[in-house]
């Protein structure tokens, strides 16, 4: 059967239209064709309307009766422009977007004038386009994020194809994997892809970088701002869209997937697999694995090194692990676990915004006076005992956060800090663990307390419109207009 459908199912609508086109071209009615093939006209009508898949024997009989080949009937192309429009209208009216409107369907018969058919199909196309740009609800965003996280955990957060591409491009740019990847090397990588890196101080507030595809320019924040790793990563992420052949995202889920891929690519360039694995394997042999050493060896942030460890540790070192970024209010901002750590989840399975147990290392770290270096802790949970290494930091908005990398007890032997005597017990999700205040305290204040809660913005706000959620197209286009070279106008 014809297989225009992405899922590989027979394209019954196109098949039906090709049969109808061949039948009417020969001046046959449904009754006449039915007599020739020994089939009821009502069944043929269902076939022509794409609502019934014909048996192969019937299809052969129809082809013989119409004096055409079976491959001609199974061809993917509509037989005429009108048939193409009728197929488009039929598909649109069978979709959930049209069904949600509650409008009566229009039968695409021969009596429907061609200009009207063109206009109706055009309206459906515009409706579909706008729906693709429509906001994603918080529920849809959480669902997409959860599915992507579960997929990453299933594959141990390892993408070998991106590893190979990143290592190949960095080597071609002259980087041998030793020490930090320099800004100059990143610029050479951009040049290899036909782009020039430019630092400007008037980027749209909603954009981290802007790429001018017409003039081959990638605009970044000023080079003088603190955090060289961040600028290199931003540039590499912008390059990654071109390297990986990304198209404009058609859904929020696709937008998220692209973000994961470009972040992974950037990390693979900043911390190349071959050198990184050699470094980590040696440290494992020495039983001296430490995120801070991994961070310093490649000149990246602690969080970037911790996340990169999730890419490599399981596949190359045989160590399952978890990663958490937790705010000073106890809310989980980002998390990953393929080692059985029971991450807090809401009813949809999403972890973002959930409170982690106050006895977990990621929250306990905020109570310690000395935060200049990593702190270590064992935590007994219903899923087993886990060892954690935690580093705290301060975000751009001034709020504190912690970055945790941890492993099951049996794998703590490979890490520096395994000899810590700090140990806590967590029985979460049991409410009695940390969510209920002590009875005496609750008895005194439960009826008298009325706090005004700080709401995370994403709890109430729907996600912004646009192919790139949160980006103001007007600001971006005006920015490109200001910076476009004269010859490019």
């Amino acid at each position: 059967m014809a297989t225009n459908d992405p899922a590989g199912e027979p394209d019954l609508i196109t098949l039906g239209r090709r049969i109808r086109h061949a039948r009417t071209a020969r001046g046959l009615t449904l009754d006449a064709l039915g007599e020739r093939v020994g089939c009821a006209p009502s069944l043929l009508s269902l076939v022509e309307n794409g609502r019934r898949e014909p048996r192969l024997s019937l299809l052969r009989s129809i082809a013989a009766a119409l004096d055409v080949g079976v491959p001609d009937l199974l061809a993917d192309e509509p037989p005429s422009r009108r048939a193409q429009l009728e197929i488009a209208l039929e598909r649109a009216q069978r979709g959930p977007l049209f069904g949600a409107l509650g409008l009566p369907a229009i039968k695409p018969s021969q009596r429907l004038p061609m200009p009207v058919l063109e206009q109706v199909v055009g309206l459906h196309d515009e409706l579909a386009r706008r729906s693709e740009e429509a906001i994603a609800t918080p529920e849809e965003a959480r669902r997409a994020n959860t599915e992507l996280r579960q997929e990453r955990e299933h594959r141990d957060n390892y993408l070998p194809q991106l590893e190979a591409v990143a290592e190949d491009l960095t080597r071609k740019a002259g980087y041998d994997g030793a020490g930090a990847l320099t800004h100059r090397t990143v610029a050479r990588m951009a040049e290899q892809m036909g782009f020039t890196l430019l630092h400007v101080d008037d980027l749209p507030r909603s954009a981290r970088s802007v790429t001018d595809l017409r003039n081959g320019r990638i605009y970044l924040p000023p080079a003088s701002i603190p955090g060289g790793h961040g600028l290199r990563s931003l540039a590499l992420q912008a390059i990654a869209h071109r390297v990986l052949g990304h198209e404009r995202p058609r859904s929020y889920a696709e937008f998220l997937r692209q973000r994961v891929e470009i972040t992974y690519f950037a990390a693979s360039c900043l911390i190349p697999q071959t050198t990184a694995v050699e470094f980590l394997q040696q440290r494992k042999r020495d039983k001296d694995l430490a995120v801070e050493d991994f961070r310093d060896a490649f000149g990246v942030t602690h969080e970037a090194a911790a996340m990169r460890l999730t890419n490599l540790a399981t596949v190359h070192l045989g160590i399952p692990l978890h990663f958490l970024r937790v705010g000073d209010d106890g809310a989980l901002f980002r998390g990953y676990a393929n080692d059985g750590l029971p991450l807090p989840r809401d009813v949809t399975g999403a972890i973002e915004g959930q409170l982690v147990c106050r006895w977990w290392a990621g929250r306990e770290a905020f109570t310690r006076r000395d935060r200049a270096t990593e702190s270590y802790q064992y935590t007994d949970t219903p899923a087993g005992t886990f060892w954690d290494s935690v580093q705290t930091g301060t975000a751009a908005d001034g709020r504190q956060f912690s970055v945790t990398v941890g492993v099951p007890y049996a794998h703590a032997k490979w890490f520096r800090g395994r000899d810590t005597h700090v140990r806590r017990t967590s029985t979460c999700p049991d409410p009695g663990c940390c969510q209920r205040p002590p009875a005496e305290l609750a008895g005194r204040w439960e009826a008298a307390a009325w706090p005004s809660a700080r709401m995370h913005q994403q709890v109430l706000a729907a996600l912004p419109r646009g192919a790139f959620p949160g980006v103001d197209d007007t600001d971006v286009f005006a920015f490109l207009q200001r910076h476009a070279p004269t010859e490019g106008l």
Side-chain angles (χ1 to χ4, degrees):
M1 295 298 178
T3 54
N4 275 351
D5 188 279
E9 295 297 325
D11 184 359
L12 301 183
I13 300 178
T14 301
L15 171 62
R17 290 304 187 279
R18 293 191 69 85
I19 293 174
R20 178 181 295 171
H21 180 79
R23 174 179 63 78
T24 56
R26 287 156 182 75
L28 295 176
T29 63
L30 283 172
D31 289 335
L33 180 58
E35 290 180 1
R36 293 191 180 189
V37 300
C39 175
S42 58
L43 175 58
L44 290 177
S45 178
L46 291 173
V47 170
E48 289 190 354
N49 286 313
R51 298 187 178 279
R52 179 70 63 85
E53 181 178 358
R55 295 177 180 273
L56 183 57
S57 57
L58 175 59
L59 190 60
R60 287 172 175 166
S61 298
I62 292 173
L66 298 176
D67 194 24
V68 296
V70 171
D72 291 330
L73 297 180
L74 293 174
D76 291 338
E77 302 79 17
S80 65
R81 170 59 179 166
R82 183 179 182 89
Q84 180 183 12
L85 292 172
E86 291 178 352
I87 291 171
L89 179 58
E90 191 74 24
R91 285 178 176 156
Q93 293 183 152
R94 293 185 188 183
L97 190 61
F98 178 77
L101 298 176
L103 298 174
I106 298 176
K107 185 177 181 180
S109 66
Q110 290 294 325
R111 290 175 291 183
L112 190 66
M114 188 70 170
V116 174
L117 186 57
E118 293 267 12
Q119 187 178 73
V120 172
V121 170
L123 290 173
H124 277 289
D125 289 344
E126 179 63 16
L127 181 63
R129 185 190 69 79
R130 294 193 180 193
S131 72
E132 291 175 354
E133 293 184 352
I135 57 175
T137 66
E139 291 76 14
E140 291 169 337
R142 285 196 292 270
R143 187 183 308 113
N145 208 30
T146 299
E147 290 175 354
L148 191 55
R149 174 177 54 79
Q150 291 172 342
E151 178 185 320
R152 289 166 51 215
E153 291 172 351
H154 179 71
R155 59 172 58 190
D156 295 323
N157 205 21
Y158 183 65
L159 303 176
Q161 300 88 344
L162 298 191
E163 298 281 0
V165 171
E167 195 141 14
D168 179 61
L169 288 179
T170 53
R171 285 178 176 173
K172 287 181 179 178
Y175 178 53
D176 61 4
L181 182 72
T182 65
H183 288 273
R184 178 62 191 131
T185 304
V186 174
R188 283 199 296 268
M189 294 174 66
E191 291 168 1
Q192 291 173 359
M193 299 301 299
F195 288 93
T196 301
L197 301 182
L198 297 173
H199 297 275
V200 296
D201 57 9
D202 63 337
L203 271 177
R205 291 178 60 85
S206 60
R208 302 186 306 160
S209 68
V210 175
T211 300
D212 181 348
L213 299 175
R214 176 179 299 163
N215 298 296
R217 293 178 163 195
I218 296 175
Y219 295 100
L220 300 165
S224 60
I225 68 172
H229 155 73
L231 285 176
R232 287 178 291 148
S233 183
L234 284 180
L236 290 167
Q237 290 177 39
I239 295 169
H241 282 301
R242 311 278 69 80
V243 173
L244 304 179
H246 286 165
E247 302 289 342
R248 292 177 66 85
R250 293 166 294 182
S251 66
Y252 189 75
E254 187 173 345
F255 168 76
L256 282 180
R257 184 175 297 278
Q258 289 184 3
R259 284 293 294 269
V260 167
E261 290 178 352
I262 64 174
T263 302
Y264 193 109
F265 172 84
S268 300
C269 292
L270 291 167
I271 309 177
Q273 176 177 236
T274 299
T275 309
V277 171
E278 291 174 356
F279 177 91
L280 294 172
Q281 288 176 336
Q282 181 59 53
R283 293 306 178 100
K284 182 185 178 185
R285 286 192 290 269
D286 297 339
K287 295 186 177 181
D288 194 30
L289 281 170
V291 177
E292 57 187 358
D293 290 353
F294 194 41
R295 169 198 70 199
D296 295 343
F298 293 93
V300 298
T301 66
H302 195 91
E303 184 171 3
M307 280 296 297
R308 186 64 173 136
L309 202 58
T310 68
N311 303 145
L312 304 173
T314 304
V315 171
H316 294 285
L317 305 181
I319 300 176
L321 73 170
H322 57 266
F323 164 92
L324 307 174
R325 173 169 169 158
V326 178
D328 55 8
D329 59 355
L332 184 58
F333 179 78
R334 184 183 298 119
Y336 167 86
N338 70 348
D339 61 354
L341 181 73
L343 295 176
R345 292 172 168 82
D346 65 14
V347 294
T348 70
I351 64 174
E352 292 75 23
Q354 298 300 301
L355 291 178
V356 303
C357 179
R358 68 172 61 254
W359 304 121
W360 283 16
R363 288 188 69 177
E364 277 280 282
F366 294 117
T367 67
R368 300 192 173 104
R369 290 184 178 180
D370 183 10
R371 303 187 194 175
T373 59
E374 291 181 304
S375 60
Y376 311 106
Q377 174 181 312
Y378 286 98
T379 308
D380 299 317
T381 78
T385 299
F386 295 86
W387 172 90
D388 289 296
S389 164
V390 186
Q391 179 69 63
T392 59
T394 303
D397 60 4
R399 299 190 64 181
Q400 294 184 324
F401 65 92
S402 67
V403 171
T404 301
V405 170
V407 296
Y409 179 86
H411 292 276
K413 62 184 178 182
W414 309 116
F415 289 82
R416 184 188 307 162
R418 61 188 176 275
D419 55 352
T420 181
H421 295 292
V422 179
R423 191 161 192 151
R424 299 288 184 267
T425 299
S426 167
T427 59
C428 282
D430 175 13
C433 175
C434 69
Q435 297 176 27
R436 291 177 182 168
E440 181 180 352
L441 201 61
R444 180 173 184 180
W445 292 106
E446 190 168 25
W450 191 296
S452 178
R454 173 186 288 166
M455 296 294 291
H456 293 278
Q457 185 177 4
Q458 67 268 25
V459 172
L460 297 179
L463 293 169
R465 287 182 176 273
F468 304 96
V471 174
D472 188 314
D473 290 341
T474 301
D475 285 350
V476 171
F477 298 158
F479 167 84
L480 289 174
Q481 182 70 15
R482 287 196 307 273
H483 287 273
T486 304
E487 62 270 21
L489 295 178

